[in-house]
Amino acid sequence: MSLNDAKFMLGWVFSLAVVPIALGQAGPRSAADITVRLYSTRNVSSVVVTPIDATMQVCATCEKTLVSSRLQMKADLHSGRVQVDGKAMQRIFIEGQIRITTDDGQVSTGAGRWTISAAGDGLHVLLVLPSERYVMAVLSSEAAVDEPLESLKALAVVARSFALTNPDRHGAEGLCDSTHCQALRLTQVSEHIKEAVTATAGETLWWHGRQVAGYFTQSCGGMTEDAAALWGGAPKPWLTAHPDMYCQRRPSQWHTEFGEQELRGALAAEGWRLPAAIDGVRVVQQDASGRAQRVELSSGGQRLTISASSLRFAVDRSLGWNRLRSDRYQLRYENRRIEFEGKGYGHGVGLCQAGAAEMALEGKGYREILSFYFPGAGVQIGVNDKGWQRYEGRGWTLWTFRPPGEVLGVGDEAFAKALALFPSAKAMHPTVTMYPETELFRQAANEPGWVLAATRGEAIELQPEAVILRHGGWRPLLLHEFLHSLVEQEAGASTPLWLREGLVEALAGEHGDVQGMTAAQIDAALLRASSQQEAERAHRAACGLVQRLIAAQGIQTVRGWLRSGVPAGAVASQ
Ligand SMILES: [Zn+2]
Ligand SMILES: [Zn+2]
């Protein structure tokens, strides 16, 4: 959801205090801002920034200015400063949506808070973006184009779990954009990926009450890997080696071979020197999953033992990436040639993408996929839930993370009342989502934290219950949002916001006042209010204006304007 999204969001503004959004709070989270360093594995010395909708600051306390034209940025390696259109600066802050083109032609488009600085190795480009959009960027890079929806959802939960449990893996630079952390691609997000991320919003992996990291691999080759065996550290029971019969149904074999000279060259490039010709190579240690752990090379009576990951790294570096696709192989050394017969692609820990896609094609849901790849772990949003649950109201659907209690009954009444106030010939079925945390609501609705609810078409997003209860409770809120859904069905693209918002508030019998704002001023403030006070004022003004119009013209006439447009002069007299 970009900043210049053409669709309007209509919400109900708080009548009381702004809700403080806890930033940097400790403990498990369902959503947070994520910092990513772009181009982390390459040296980028210059970029072109094309603004789409962005402001810029040359220091943290400097004035924000609109970026209206393209900016050329270059690293000045001597001074460690950034040259922006020829002017040297310490760093530059950009807020909003931009397109970045690197000197080697890579194009990324994304929105968030950008910091661009220079270091000895070139430009450092950091982007802070909401975790839900971060997950979309990871899926845009890592998911197969024809990935089934359920395995895509499973991958979304895994990517989110990794990011929210490791947000500062590289300190202040957050996460890198390579497979060391999670590769990502900043681009237009497909509808398929949006659907998978939205359907699992805020869901992560939990093991015995603890939020845990998730990992994924392209193909485990029929047997997943144990995280502790590969990376060391304490045993992680949800990341153990186990057979994967789903991925066994898909081909994952690979073969590679090369001569002694190439092998010597690859090892020498990493600093290993062998005194004479290599006369033997064998795997001397395997882990429980059957992956090579140690490989021994003999040369003129000497023996050199190296780890399988060092061997893979050396070969990949000098003979091309992905020559050794995994450590799951048998090797043979004969006639001064080394031959590998392998299976799988990647480290093998956690979710196997090949197996997960197979499970989805066989009709398994994403939770079933996740519980297969992360034994004993479950999907949760917070400490005390079982992830998203669906409940059916009369004519509407509720998505919630906890038993619905009174909300279903109150919602049934509110929906019936909305239909009575604004009878609709068209069938509609709103979906109401109750978010457990303000940050997750803010990300899902793409709204500032001081909006109580947001409705887009039939989708109604709500702040956490505690916030709703402090600001009038369920009854008026659900009536208001159901009315929005109904009114929006009749509104055209050019229907002014004051009419859409004011009609809802007038029908719901809300309190309207504030004279002296023109319709155009109300619309501007409803579209992009800079503060809660301004938004609140605009809502009351819209309500008052529509109440006066209904009193003068009748509800049917005013309702008709949703489709036909507001006749010239109708507003001027109010
Ligand atoms: Zn990293
Ligand atoms: Zn597998």
Side-chain angles (χ1 to χ4, degrees):
M1 285 183 281
S2 65
L3 293 176
N4 59 352
D5 201 317
K7 286 182 212 149
F8 298 118
M9 295 292 291
L10 297 159
W12 202 33
V13 173
F14 284 14
S15 51
L16 293 170
V18 178
V19 173
I21 298 171
L23 293 173
Q25 82 192 59
R29 289 177 296 180
S30 62
D33 278 346
I34 300 291
T35 302
V36 192
R37 181 175 163 204
L38 304 182
Y39 325 120
S40 55
T41 52
R42 303 183 295 139
N43 291 352
V44 170
S45 57
S46 75
V47 296
V48 173
V49 169
T50 310
I52 297 170
D53 180 3
T55 58
M56 174 174 92
Q57 281 171 290
V58 292
C59 73
T61 53
C62 298
E63 199 196 339
K64 279 185 192 171
T65 55
L66 196 71
V67 190
S68 51
S69 58
R70 295 209 294 174
L71 299 169
Q72 182 89 43
M73 301 194 188
K74 244 182 102 174
D76 184 337
L77 300 183
H78 300 292
S79 65
R81 289 159 81 93
V82 192
Q83 299 268 1
V84 182
D85 285 342
K87 268 207 309 218
M89 292 174 197
Q90 203 61 43
R91 51 169 50 79
I92 184 152
F93 303 96
I94 294 177
E95 205 172 317
Q97 193 179 19
I98 58 173
R99 181 162 59 243
I100 294 199
T101 310
T102 58
D103 43 11
D104 56 2
Q106 191 185 316
V107 182
S108 310
T109 304
R113 297 198 307 277
W114 305 79
T115 307
I116 300 165
S117 61
D121 54 354
L123 289 175
H124 282 216
V125 179
L126 300 183
L127 170 63
V128 179
L129 77 175
S131 43
E132 292 298 306
R133 271 207 278 120
Y134 168 85
V135 175
M136 290 181 194
V138 172
L139 266 49
S140 297
S141 164
E142 299 297 288
V145 187
D146 57 350
E147 182 89 42
L149 185 61
E150 291 302 311
S151 53
L152 200 54
K153 286 185 195 169
L155 192 60
V157 173
V158 174
R160 187 182 293 114
S161 303
F162 179 86
L164 290 173
T165 53
N166 287 283
D168 36 24
R169 198 167 190 208
H170 295 276
E173 297 202 328
L175 297 172
C176 71
D177 68 343
S178 79
T179 53
H180 171 263
C181 290
Q182 297 187 124
L184 62 128
R185 198 154 79 90
L186 292 171
T187 180
Q188 179 86 36
V189 180
S190 74
E191 287 305 316
H192 200 45
I193 287 176
K194 269 187 203 162
E195 186 182 350
V197 175
T198 307
T200 60
E203 287 183 338
T204 52
L205 293 167
W206 290 66
W207 192 80
H208 290 253
R210 188 152 65 87
Q211 190 179 35
V212 294
Y215 301 89
F216 59 91
T217 195
Q218 218 164 316
S219 161
C220 73
M223 176 70 114
T224 66
E225 171 64 306
D226 184 293
L230 181 64
W231 297 318
K236 296 181 176 62
W238 66 98
L239 296 171
T240 49
H242 62 86
D244 179 354
M245 59 280 202
Y246 298 101
C247 142
Q248 283 165 11
R249 291 173 203 159
R250 298 186 159 211
S252 70
Q253 286 85 353
W254 53 266
H255 169 98
T256 192
E257 57 176 278
F258 40 88
E260 191 230 346
Q261 283 308 322
E262 286 164 292
L263 179 57
R264 279 178 77 84
L267 293 169
E270 298 300 317
W272 283 291
R273 307 258 170 241
L274 292 161
I278 297 173
D279 39 46
V281 186
R282 61 193 187 109
V283 175
V284 288
Q285 193 186 333
Q286 276 187 337
D287 68 15
S289 79
R291 285 175 176 78
Q293 276 190 312
R294 301 198 153 269
V295 175
E296 183 193 83
L297 299 106
S298 45
S299 163
Q302 286 200 1
R303 287 174 202 286
L304 168 70
T305 306
I306 63 175
S307 72
S309 57
S310 303
L311 175 68
R312 176 162 41 80
F313 188 71
V315 168
D316 278 357
R317 270 259 275 231
S318 64
L319 303 179
W321 291 104
N322 298 323
R323 271 305 269 280
L324 297 184
R325 296 180 152 209
S326 71
D327 292 334
R328 200 151 181 255
Y329 52 70
Q330 307 290 327
L331 67 79
R332 211 171 52 203
Y333 187 74
E334 255 176 34
N335 304 324
R336 307 188 69 191
R337 281 191 79 71
I338 185 163
E339 256 183 79
F340 294 84
E341 298 292 344
K343 277 185 180 172
Y345 198 162
H347 54 61
V349 177
L351 180 136
C352 164
Q353 288 183 272
E358 182 64 30
M359 284 184 84
L361 291 176
E362 292 179 19
K364 308 278 195 284
Y366 75 102
R367 288 181 202 189
E368 211 177 329
I369 295 173
L370 290 167
S371 69
F372 176 72
Y373 286 108
F374 302 93
V379 170
Q380 292 174 221
I381 304 169
V383 184
N384 286 315
D385 62 67
K386 292 188 168 67
W388 290 111
Q389 309 291 325
R390 181 191 170 122
Y391 295 89
E392 291 306 326
R394 277 192 226 117
W396 61 289
T397 297
L398 177 68
W399 282 100
T400 162
F401 55 98
R402 59 116 165 126
E406 54 156 3
V407 180
L408 263 188
V410 171
D412 282 347
E413 273 175 42
F415 190 45
K417 189 169 176 192
L419 284 168
L421 288 166
F422 197 87
S424 174
K426 267 206 231 162
M428 71 170 307
H429 191 104
T431 296
V432 176
T433 308
M434 284 168 64
Y435 288 93
E437 289 175 35
T438 288
E439 174 60 19
L440 188 59
F441 160 79
R442 193 184 68 80
Q443 292 197 10
N446 196 23
E447 281 285 325
W450 39 260
V451 170
L452 197 52
T455 295
R456 174 177 283 168
E458 291 179 310
I460 298 170
E461 325 272 357
L462 304 179
Q463 281 268 9
E465 177 165 44
V467 178
I468 289 167
L469 295 180
R470 278 202 304 277
H471 296 93
W474 290 108
R475 208 168 293 273
L477 177 71
L478 288 172
L479 174 63
H480 183 105
E481 301 305 325
F482 281 135
L483 279 169
H484 258 309
S485 250
L486 290 165
V487 165
E488 284 308 293
Q489 246 195 343
E490 284 188 16
S494 58
T495 310
L497 291 179
W498 63 261
L499 179 58
R500 300 151 95 143
E501 189 63 56
L503 192 54
V504 165
E505 295 181 16
L507 286 169
E510 286 165 27
H511 176 57
D513 56 13
V514 184
Q515 309 241 1
M517 268 178 103
T518 66
Q521 285 167 340
I522 299 173
D523 256 40
L526 287 174
L527 181 60
R528 201 178 268 199
S530 58
S531 69
Q532 180 209 349
Q533 287 76 7
E534 192 189 342
E536 233 173 67
R537 225 175 99 80
H539 276 253
R540 288 205 311 277
C543 180
L545 175 57
V546 174
Q547 281 171 338
R548 292 192 295 280
L549 288 167
I550 292 174
Q553 311 264 358
I555 175 70
Q556 287 314 323
T557 303
V558 176
R559 178 176 176 166
W561 294 345
L562 287 171
R563 283 185 203 283
S564 68
V566 183
V571 175
S573 60
Q574 295 304 314

